[in-house]
Amino acid sequence: WLRGFWDAFARGLLTRMSGMSSGAKIAAAFLVATGLAISGYFAGKGFKEGRAAERFVTVKGVAEREADADIAIWSLTLVSTDNDLGAAQAQLKESHTKTLAFLQERGIPRETVETQNFEVVDRQADQWGPQGDIASRYILRQTLVVRSDDPRAIMAMSQDVSALVEAGVVFQSPMGPYSGPTYLFTKLNDFKPEMIAEATRNARAAADQFAQDSGAQLGGIRRASQGVFEILPRNPTPHTMQEGQFQKTLRVVSTIEFYLTD
């Protein structure tokens, strides 16, 4: 706009120079030349700055940490079957008592164990079930849920659950690829600041290398995206879920755009 202003001003001034004295003409010509020079300077500067704003590099910075789960949740579904409802109930009650004793012997207080989802299935009443004589008419299920802030203890117990099976306790495996305790990591916020700082440093190092290779200088940040924090299994294997592993890998990928200058 400045260049346009001076062009219009100059044309108007030149049309009036015919009636001016020679001294006035010289002054007017000097004024026009100075204005055009100034407008040209700012126009060139704006063009250069515009080009500089278009020069940037996009890089990604990664940061990872290893961490152990701090919460464990273990669901145990007890099952009993019999053709007599009373007998099935007695079996389930005995399994319930043995399981609580197993947990208490290993340091899990009774009050921390929650009983959930009591279910009775009468197979004879199921129109889609088997017809005729049924060896085990009744199926009873009950779930015990253990929540602990000592995941290592829960992990040790889950590896010793065969002791309950030997004592006659029958479990039902849950649906899905994993049937053991669920291990949770709830302290991600404690790691976020330092991981974001590290990801930014790694991104800047990558951008600086790119700038050196292209003969440019690295400028400030144009735009930054923190990315999503992920909690991954530390030892990934096919069909592995991070909830099933005690040891975790924390990961964040930040995407950052840096200006490039001459």
Short mmCIF file of all heavy atoms in Angstrom, two decimals, residues 30-89:
data_model
loop_
_atom_site.label_atom_id
_atom_site.label_comp_id
_atom_site.label_asym_id
_atom_site.label_seq_id
_atom_site.Cartn_x
_atom_site.Cartn_y
_atom_site.Cartn_z
N PHE A 30 13.21 15.67 -5.99
CA PHE A 30 13.93 15.03 -4.88
C PHE A 30 12.97 14.32 -3.93
O PHE A 30 13.21 13.22 -3.46
CB PHE A 30 14.75 16.08 -4.13
CG PHE A 30 15.45 15.53 -2.91
CD1 PHE A 30 16.61 14.77 -3.05
CD2 PHE A 30 14.94 15.76 -1.64
CE1 PHE A 30 17.25 14.25 -1.93
CE2 PHE A 30 15.57 15.24 -0.53
CZ PHE A 30 16.73 14.49 -0.67
N LEU A 31 11.84 14.99 -3.67
CA LEU A 31 10.84 14.41 -2.77
C LEU A 31 10.27 13.12 -3.36
O LEU A 31 10.10 12.11 -2.65
CB LEU A 31 9.73 15.42 -2.52
CG LEU A 31 8.59 14.98 -1.58
CD1 LEU A 31 9.14 14.66 -0.19
CD2 LEU A 31 7.52 16.06 -1.49
N VAL A 32 9.98 13.15 -4.65
CA VAL A 32 9.44 11.95 -5.31
C VAL A 32 10.45 10.82 -5.27
O VAL A 32 10.13 9.65 -4.96
CB VAL A 32 9.03 12.27 -6.76
CG1 VAL A 32 8.70 10.99 -7.53
CG2 VAL A 32 7.84 13.21 -6.77
N ALA A 33 11.70 11.11 -5.59
CA ALA A 33 12.73 10.07 -5.61
C ALA A 33 12.93 9.47 -4.23
O ALA A 33 13.07 8.25 -4.07
CB ALA A 33 14.04 10.66 -6.13
N THR A 34 12.93 10.35 -3.20
CA THR A 34 13.09 9.85 -1.83
C THR A 34 11.93 8.94 -1.44
O THR A 34 12.11 7.88 -0.84
CB THR A 34 13.20 11.02 -0.85
OG1 THR A 34 14.30 11.86 -1.23
CG2 THR A 34 13.40 10.51 0.57
N GLY A 35 10.72 9.36 -1.76
CA GLY A 35 9.54 8.56 -1.42
C GLY A 35 9.57 7.21 -2.10
O GLY A 35 9.25 6.18 -1.50
N LEU A 36 9.91 7.20 -3.39
CA LEU A 36 9.97 5.94 -4.11
C LEU A 36 11.03 5.01 -3.53
O LEU A 36 10.86 3.79 -3.45
CB LEU A 36 10.23 6.20 -5.60
CG LEU A 36 9.09 6.86 -6.36
CD1 LEU A 36 9.51 7.17 -7.80
CD2 LEU A 36 7.85 5.96 -6.35
N ALA A 37 12.15 5.60 -3.12
CA ALA A 37 13.22 4.79 -2.54
C ALA A 37 12.77 4.16 -1.22
O ALA A 37 13.02 2.98 -0.94
CB ALA A 37 14.47 5.64 -2.32
N ILE A 38 12.10 4.99 -0.39
CA ILE A 38 11.63 4.47 0.90
C ILE A 38 10.58 3.38 0.70
O ILE A 38 10.62 2.32 1.33
CB ILE A 38 11.06 5.61 1.76
CG1 ILE A 38 12.18 6.59 2.15
CG2 ILE A 38 10.36 5.07 3.00
CD1 ILE A 38 11.70 7.83 2.88
N SER A 39 9.62 3.63 -0.21
CA SER A 39 8.58 2.63 -0.45
C SER A 39 9.17 1.36 -1.03
O SER A 39 8.74 0.25 -0.72
CB SER A 39 7.50 3.20 -1.37
OG SER A 39 8.04 3.48 -2.65
N GLY A 40 10.18 1.52 -1.89
CA GLY A 40 10.84 0.34 -2.46
C GLY A 40 11.55 -0.48 -1.38
O GLY A 40 11.55 -1.71 -1.41
N TYR A 41 12.16 0.23 -0.41
CA TYR A 41 12.85 -0.48 0.69
C TYR A 41 11.87 -1.33 1.49
O TYR A 41 12.10 -2.51 1.77
CB TYR A 41 13.55 0.53 1.59
CG TYR A 41 14.01 -0.06 2.91
CD1 TYR A 41 15.15 -0.85 2.97
CD2 TYR A 41 13.27 0.17 4.06
CE1 TYR A 41 15.56 -1.40 4.18
CE2 TYR A 41 13.67 -0.38 5.27
CZ TYR A 41 14.81 -1.17 5.33
OH TYR A 41 15.21 -1.72 6.52
N PHE A 42 10.74 -0.67 1.87
CA PHE A 42 9.77 -1.41 2.68
C PHE A 42 9.11 -2.54 1.88
O PHE A 42 8.79 -3.59 2.42
CB PHE A 42 8.71 -0.46 3.24
CG PHE A 42 9.19 0.34 4.41
CD1 PHE A 42 9.46 1.70 4.29
CD2 PHE A 42 9.39 -0.28 5.63
CE1 PHE A 42 9.90 2.43 5.37
CE2 PHE A 42 9.83 0.46 6.73
CZ PHE A 42 10.09 1.81 6.59
N ALA A 43 8.90 -2.32 0.60
CA ALA A 43 8.32 -3.38 -0.22
C ALA A 43 9.26 -4.57 -0.31
O ALA A 43 8.85 -5.73 -0.19
CB ALA A 43 8.00 -2.84 -1.62
N GLY A 44 10.55 -4.28 -0.49
CA GLY A 44 11.53 -5.37 -0.55
C GLY A 44 11.66 -6.10 0.77
O GLY A 44 11.77 -7.32 0.81
N LYS A 45 11.61 -5.32 1.85
CA LYS A 45 11.70 -5.95 3.18
C LYS A 45 10.50 -6.84 3.43
O LYS A 45 10.63 -7.96 3.95
CB LYS A 45 11.78 -4.86 4.25
CG LYS A 45 11.92 -5.42 5.67
CD LYS A 45 11.99 -4.30 6.70
CE LYS A 45 12.12 -4.89 8.10
NZ LYS A 45 12.14 -3.83 9.13
N GLY A 46 9.30 -6.36 3.07
CA GLY A 46 8.10 -7.17 3.26
C GLY A 46 8.14 -8.44 2.44
O GLY A 46 7.73 -9.50 2.88
N PHE A 47 8.65 -8.34 1.20
CA PHE A 47 8.78 -9.52 0.35
C PHE A 47 9.74 -10.53 0.95
O PHE A 47 9.48 -11.74 0.97
CB PHE A 47 9.25 -9.10 -1.04
CG PHE A 47 9.47 -10.25 -1.97
CD1 PHE A 47 8.39 -10.90 -2.56
CD2 PHE A 47 10.76 -10.70 -2.25
CE1 PHE A 47 8.60 -11.97 -3.42
CE2 PHE A 47 10.97 -11.77 -3.10
CZ PHE A 47 9.88 -12.40 -3.69
N LYS A 48 10.85 -10.01 1.48
CA LYS A 48 11.84 -10.90 2.08
C LYS A 48 11.27 -11.60 3.31
O LYS A 48 11.47 -12.80 3.51
CB LYS A 48 13.09 -10.11 2.46
CG LYS A 48 14.20 -10.97 3.06
CD LYS A 48 15.42 -10.14 3.36
CE LYS A 48 16.54 -11.00 3.95
NZ LYS A 48 17.73 -10.20 4.27
N GLU A 49 10.55 -10.83 4.14
CA GLU A 49 9.96 -11.42 5.34
C GLU A 49 8.89 -12.44 4.97
O GLU A 49 8.72 -13.47 5.62
CB GLU A 49 9.38 -10.34 6.24
CG GLU A 49 10.45 -9.47 6.89
CD GLU A 49 9.85 -8.35 7.71
OE1 GLU A 49 8.61 -8.14 7.61
OE2 GLU A 49 10.60 -7.68 8.46
N GLY A 50 8.14 -12.14 3.91
CA GLY A 50 7.13 -13.09 3.46
C GLY A 50 7.75 -14.39 2.99
O GLY A 50 7.24 -15.48 3.27
N ARG A 51 8.84 -14.29 2.25
CA ARG A 51 9.54 -15.50 1.82
C ARG A 51 10.09 -16.27 3.00
O ARG A 51 10.06 -17.50 3.02
CB ARG A 51 10.69 -15.12 0.86
CG ARG A 51 10.23 -14.64 -0.50
CD ARG A 51 9.60 -15.80 -1.28
NE ARG A 51 10.55 -16.89 -1.41
CZ ARG A 51 11.47 -16.98 -2.37
NH1 ARG A 51 11.55 -16.01 -3.28
NH2 ARG A 51 12.28 -18.01 -2.44
N ALA A 52 10.60 -15.54 4.00
CA ALA A 52 11.17 -16.22 5.18
C ALA A 52 10.08 -16.97 5.94
O ALA A 52 10.31 -18.05 6.49
CB ALA A 52 11.84 -15.19 6.10
N ALA A 53 8.87 -16.39 5.97
CA ALA A 53 7.77 -17.05 6.69
C ALA A 53 7.37 -18.35 6.02
O ALA A 53 6.79 -19.23 6.65
CB ALA A 53 6.58 -16.11 6.80
N GLU A 54 7.66 -18.48 4.70
CA GLU A 54 7.30 -19.68 3.98
C GLU A 54 8.35 -20.78 4.13
O GLU A 54 8.11 -21.92 3.76
CB GLU A 54 7.13 -19.35 2.49
CG GLU A 54 5.96 -18.41 2.21
CD GLU A 54 5.88 -18.05 0.74
OE1 GLU A 54 6.76 -18.51 -0.02
OE2 GLU A 54 4.96 -17.32 0.36
N ARG A 55 9.48 -20.46 4.68
CA ARG A 55 10.56 -21.44 4.80
C ARG A 55 10.54 -22.04 6.21
O ARG A 55 10.85 -21.35 7.18
CB ARG A 55 11.92 -20.79 4.53
CG ARG A 55 12.07 -20.23 3.12
CD ARG A 55 13.46 -19.67 2.93
NE ARG A 55 14.48 -20.70 3.11
CZ ARG A 55 15.78 -20.44 3.29
NH1 ARG A 55 16.19 -19.18 3.35
NH2 ARG A 55 16.64 -21.42 3.44
N PHE A 56 10.18 -23.28 6.29
CA PHE A 56 10.17 -23.96 7.58
C PHE A 56 10.35 -25.45 7.35
O PHE A 56 10.18 -25.95 6.23
CB PHE A 56 8.87 -23.67 8.35
CG PHE A 56 7.62 -24.15 7.67
CD1 PHE A 56 7.11 -25.42 7.93
CD2 PHE A 56 6.95 -23.34 6.78
CE1 PHE A 56 5.96 -25.86 7.30
CE2 PHE A 56 5.79 -23.78 6.15
CZ PHE A 56 5.29 -25.04 6.41
N VAL A 57 10.66 -26.14 8.41
CA VAL A 57 10.84 -27.59 8.36
C VAL A 57 9.97 -28.22 9.45
O VAL A 57 9.85 -27.68 10.55
CB VAL A 57 12.32 -27.98 8.56
CG1 VAL A 57 12.86 -27.48 9.90
CG2 VAL A 57 12.51 -29.49 8.46
N THR A 58 9.36 -29.35 9.12
CA THR A 58 8.51 -30.07 10.07
C THR A 58 9.24 -31.33 10.53
O THR A 58 9.67 -32.14 9.70
CB THR A 58 7.17 -30.47 9.43
OG1 THR A 58 6.51 -29.29 8.96
CG2 THR A 58 6.28 -31.18 10.43
N VAL A 59 9.39 -31.48 11.83
CA VAL A 59 10.11 -32.64 12.38
C VAL A 59 9.30 -33.22 13.53
O VAL A 59 8.40 -32.60 14.07
CB VAL A 59 11.52 -32.24 12.88
CG1 VAL A 59 12.41 -31.84 11.73
CG2 VAL A 59 11.42 -31.11 13.90
N LYS A 60 9.65 -34.43 13.89
CA LYS A 60 9.02 -35.11 15.03
C LYS A 60 10.08 -35.41 16.09
O LYS A 60 11.19 -35.80 15.76
CB LYS A 60 8.34 -36.41 14.59
CG LYS A 60 7.16 -36.19 13.66
CD LYS A 60 6.47 -37.50 13.33
CE LYS A 60 5.30 -37.28 12.37
NZ LYS A 60 4.24 -36.47 12.97
N GLY A 61 9.68 -35.22 17.34
CA GLY A 61 10.55 -35.54 18.46
C GLY A 61 9.89 -36.59 19.34
O GLY A 61 8.70 -36.50 19.66
N VAL A 62 10.64 -37.61 19.72
CA VAL A 62 10.11 -38.73 20.50
C VAL A 62 10.77 -38.76 21.87
O VAL A 62 11.97 -38.48 22.02
CB VAL A 62 10.37 -40.07 19.78
CG1 VAL A 62 9.77 -41.24 20.58
CG2 VAL A 62 9.78 -40.04 18.38
N ALA A 63 9.97 -39.10 22.88
CA ALA A 63 10.49 -39.31 24.23
C ALA A 63 9.83 -40.54 24.81
O ALA A 63 8.63 -40.75 24.65
CB ALA A 63 10.24 -38.10 25.12
N GLU A 64 10.61 -41.38 25.49
CA GLU A 64 10.09 -42.61 26.08
C GLU A 64 10.62 -42.78 27.50
O GLU A 64 11.72 -42.33 27.83
CB GLU A 64 10.47 -43.83 25.25
CG GLU A 64 9.81 -43.91 23.89
CD GLU A 64 10.11 -45.20 23.15
OE1 GLU A 64 11.07 -45.90 23.56
OE2 GLU A 64 9.41 -45.51 22.18
N ARG A 65 9.82 -43.41 28.32
CA ARG A 65 10.20 -43.77 29.68
C ARG A 65 9.67 -45.17 29.98
O ARG A 65 8.66 -45.60 29.43
CB ARG A 65 9.62 -42.79 30.71
CG ARG A 65 10.13 -41.38 30.63
CD ARG A 65 11.56 -41.27 31.14
NE ARG A 65 11.97 -39.87 31.22
CZ ARG A 65 12.40 -39.17 30.19
NH1 ARG A 65 12.46 -39.72 29.00
NH2 ARG A 65 12.77 -37.91 30.35
N GLU A 66 10.35 -45.86 30.87
CA GLU A 66 9.85 -47.15 31.35
C GLU A 66 9.28 -46.96 32.75
O GLU A 66 9.81 -46.19 33.56
CB GLU A 66 10.96 -48.20 31.38
CG GLU A 66 11.44 -48.60 29.98
CD GLU A 66 12.45 -49.73 30.02
OE1 GLU A 66 12.80 -50.16 31.15
OE2 GLU A 66 12.88 -50.18 28.95
N ALA A 67 8.17 -47.63 33.02
CA ALA A 67 7.50 -47.48 34.31
C ALA A 67 6.79 -48.78 34.65
O ALA A 67 6.42 -49.56 33.77
CB ALA A 67 6.51 -46.33 34.28
N ASP A 68 6.61 -49.00 35.95
CA ASP A 68 5.87 -50.16 36.43
C ASP A 68 4.45 -49.76 36.80
O ASP A 68 4.20 -48.63 37.22
CB ASP A 68 6.56 -50.77 37.66
CG ASP A 68 7.92 -51.36 37.33
OD1 ASP A 68 8.17 -51.67 36.14
OD2 ASP A 68 8.75 -51.50 38.26
N ALA A 69 3.53 -50.70 36.65
CA ALA A 69 2.14 -50.45 37.04
C ALA A 69 2.08 -50.13 38.53
O ALA A 69 2.88 -50.61 39.33
CB ALA A 69 1.29 -51.67 36.72
N ASP A 70 1.11 -49.30 38.90
CA ASP A 70 0.94 -48.95 40.31
C ASP A 70 -0.40 -49.43 40.88
O ASP A 70 -0.64 -49.32 42.07
CB ASP A 70 1.08 -47.44 40.52
CG ASP A 70 0.14 -46.64 39.64
OD1 ASP A 70 0.49 -46.38 38.48
OD2 ASP A 70 -0.96 -46.31 40.10
N ILE A 71 -1.25 -49.97 40.01
CA ILE A 71 -2.54 -50.52 40.44
C ILE A 71 -2.75 -51.85 39.73
O ILE A 71 -2.43 -51.99 38.54
CB ILE A 71 -3.71 -49.58 40.11
CG1 ILE A 71 -3.60 -48.27 40.90
CG2 ILE A 71 -5.05 -50.25 40.41
CD1 ILE A 71 -3.83 -48.42 42.38
N ALA A 72 -3.29 -52.83 40.45
CA ALA A 72 -3.65 -54.11 39.84
C ALA A 72 -5.09 -54.44 40.18
O ALA A 72 -5.54 -54.24 41.31
CB ALA A 72 -2.72 -55.23 40.32
N ILE A 73 -5.83 -54.94 39.20
CA ILE A 73 -7.21 -55.38 39.38
C ILE A 73 -7.29 -56.83 38.89
O ILE A 73 -6.94 -57.12 37.74
CB ILE A 73 -8.20 -54.49 38.62
CG1 ILE A 73 -8.09 -53.04 39.10
CG2 ILE A 73 -9.63 -55.00 38.80
CD1 ILE A 73 -8.93 -52.07 38.30
N TRP A 74 -7.77 -57.70 39.77
CA TRP A 74 -7.83 -59.12 39.44
C TRP A 74 -9.25 -59.61 39.64
O TRP A 74 -9.79 -59.56 40.74
CB TRP A 74 -6.86 -59.88 40.34
CG TRP A 74 -6.62 -61.31 39.94
CD1 TRP A 74 -6.86 -61.87 38.72
CD2 TRP A 74 -6.07 -62.35 40.76
NE1 TRP A 74 -6.51 -63.20 38.72
CE2 TRP A 74 -6.01 -63.51 39.96
CE3 TRP A 74 -5.63 -62.40 42.08
CZ2 TRP A 74 -5.54 -64.72 40.45
CZ3 TRP A 74 -5.15 -63.59 42.57
CH2 TRP A 74 -5.09 -64.75 41.76
N SER A 75 -9.86 -60.09 38.57
CA SER A 75 -11.23 -60.61 38.62
C SER A 75 -11.18 -62.14 38.56
O SER A 75 -10.59 -62.70 37.64
CB SER A 75 -12.07 -60.08 37.45
OG SER A 75 -12.23 -58.68 37.56
N LEU A 76 -11.82 -62.77 39.53
CA LEU A 76 -11.87 -64.23 39.60
C LEU A 76 -13.34 -64.65 39.56
O LEU A 76 -14.11 -64.34 40.48
CB LEU A 76 -11.23 -64.72 40.89
CG LEU A 76 -9.74 -64.40 41.07
CD1 LEU A 76 -9.31 -64.63 42.51
CD2 LEU A 76 -8.91 -65.24 40.12
N THR A 77 -13.73 -65.32 38.50
CA THR A 77 -15.11 -65.78 38.37
C THR A 77 -15.19 -67.25 38.77
O THR A 77 -14.62 -68.12 38.11
CB THR A 77 -15.62 -65.61 36.93
OG1 THR A 77 -15.55 -64.23 36.57
CG2 THR A 77 -17.05 -66.09 36.80
N LEU A 78 -15.89 -67.51 39.88
CA LEU A 78 -16.05 -68.86 40.40
C LEU A 78 -17.27 -69.50 39.74
O LEU A 78 -18.30 -68.85 39.54
CB LEU A 78 -16.23 -68.82 41.91
CG LEU A 78 -15.24 -67.96 42.71
CD1 LEU A 78 -15.58 -68.01 44.20
CD2 LEU A 78 -13.82 -68.42 42.46
N VAL A 79 -17.18 -70.79 39.47
CA VAL A 79 -18.25 -71.51 38.81
C VAL A 79 -18.52 -72.82 39.54
O VAL A 79 -17.59 -73.51 39.98
CB VAL A 79 -17.91 -71.81 37.33
CG1 VAL A 79 -19.05 -72.56 36.65
CG2 VAL A 79 -17.60 -70.54 36.58
N SER A 80 -19.81 -73.16 39.68
CA SER A 80 -20.20 -74.48 40.18
C SER A 80 -21.36 -75.00 39.35
O SER A 80 -22.19 -74.21 38.88
CB SER A 80 -20.59 -74.41 41.66
OG SER A 80 -21.79 -73.66 41.83
N THR A 81 -21.42 -76.29 39.14
CA THR A 81 -22.50 -76.90 38.36
C THR A 81 -22.99 -78.16 39.07
O THR A 81 -22.21 -78.90 39.67
CB THR A 81 -22.00 -77.28 36.95
OG1 THR A 81 -20.94 -78.24 37.06
CG2 THR A 81 -21.49 -76.07 36.19
N ASP A 82 -24.30 -78.37 38.97
CA ASP A 82 -24.88 -79.58 39.55
C ASP A 82 -26.32 -79.70 39.06
O ASP A 82 -26.92 -78.69 38.66
CB ASP A 82 -24.83 -79.56 41.08
CG ASP A 82 -24.95 -80.95 41.69
OD1 ASP A 82 -26.08 -81.45 41.77
OD2 ASP A 82 -23.90 -81.51 42.05
N ASN A 83 -26.85 -80.90 39.13
CA ASN A 83 -28.23 -81.10 38.76
C ASN A 83 -29.17 -80.70 39.89
O ASN A 83 -30.38 -80.59 39.68
CB ASN A 83 -28.46 -82.56 38.36
CG ASN A 83 -29.62 -82.73 37.42
OD1 ASN A 83 -29.85 -81.90 36.55
ND2 ASN A 83 -30.40 -83.79 37.60
N ASP A 84 -28.60 -80.48 41.07
CA ASP A 84 -29.36 -80.05 42.24
C ASP A 84 -28.92 -78.63 42.60
O ASP A 84 -27.74 -78.37 42.78
CB ASP A 84 -29.12 -81.00 43.41
CG ASP A 84 -29.87 -80.58 44.65
OD1 ASP A 84 -31.08 -80.82 44.73
OD2 ASP A 84 -29.23 -79.96 45.54
N LEU A 85 -29.87 -77.72 42.70
CA LEU A 85 -29.55 -76.32 42.95
C LEU A 85 -28.86 -76.15 44.30
O LEU A 85 -27.89 -75.39 44.41
CB LEU A 85 -30.82 -75.47 42.90
CG LEU A 85 -30.63 -73.96 43.14
CD1 LEU A 85 -29.66 -73.36 42.14
CD2 LEU A 85 -31.98 -73.23 43.09
N GLY A 86 -29.33 -76.84 45.32
CA GLY A 86 -28.72 -76.71 46.65
C GLY A 86 -27.28 -77.17 46.64
O GLY A 86 -26.41 -76.54 47.27
N ALA A 87 -27.00 -78.26 45.94
CA ALA A 87 -25.63 -78.76 45.87
C ALA A 87 -24.74 -77.78 45.13
O ALA A 87 -23.58 -77.55 45.51
CB ALA A 87 -25.61 -80.13 45.18
N ALA A 88 -25.25 -77.18 44.07
CA ALA A 88 -24.46 -76.20 43.31
C ALA A 88 -24.17 -74.98 44.18
O ALA A 88 -23.05 -74.43 44.15
CB ALA A 88 -25.21 -75.79 42.05
N GLN A 89 -25.15 -74.56 44.98
CA GLN A 89 -24.93 -73.43 45.87
C GLN A 89 -23.86 -73.75 46.92
O GLN A 89 -23.02 -72.90 47.24
CB GLN A 89 -26.24 -73.03 46.55
CG GLN A 89 -27.24 -72.34 45.63
CD GLN A 89 -28.54 -72.02 46.34
OE1 GLN A 89 -29.15 -72.89 46.96
NE2 GLN A 89 -28.97 -70.76 46.24
#
